[in-house]
Amino acid sequence: MCDRVEDRDLQPLLTVKEVAALLNTSVARVYDLASKKVLPVVKLGRSKRFDPDVLRAWIKNGGQALPGGWRQESLDNS
């Protein structure tokens, strides 16, 4: 039997555009960080969404650095 999740237990997932606004960064940067598994993401087919509770916990815990540290961005641009 499948457990039914009540609507009150769920919050709407955030879009890439909403996360970009929250993090004060570009939509492209959010896509990039999600694809590198730096941001916690929920995949819905080709769409990406973000659980606000998980994102809030990620921010509270200091986020996550890019693999390779600060040099990652300069390596991506070469």
Side-chain angles (χ1 to χ4, degrees), residues 29-63:
R29 186 68 168 160
V30 172
Y31 275 116
D32 183 47
L33 293 174
S35 70
K36 291 179 179 170
K37 299 181 180 165
V38 173
L39 282 175
V41 64
V42 176
K43 294 180 183 177
L44 298 172
R46 293 176 60 183
S47 297
K48 291 181 177 26
R49 297 290 187 271
F50 300 84
D51 182 319
D53 291 333
V54 174
L55 188 61
R56 194 174 296 113
W58 178 83
I59 292 167
K60 185 178 177 182
N61 290 322

Side-chain angles (χ1 to χ4, degrees), residues 15-39:
T15 65
V16 172
K17 190 173 182 179
E18 291 169 326
V19 172
L22 284 171
L23 299 178
N24 195 29
T25 191
S26 69
V27 168
R29 186 68 168 160
V30 172
Y31 275 116
D32 183 47
L33 293 174
S35 70
K36 291 179 179 170
K37 299 181 180 165
V38 173
L39 282 175

Side-chain angles (χ1 to χ4, degrees), residues 36 66-77:
K36 291 179 179 170
L66 282 169
W70 63 271
R71 295 188 64 215
Q72 178 67 37
E73 193 164 330
S74 63
L75 293 175
D76 285 346
N77 292 331

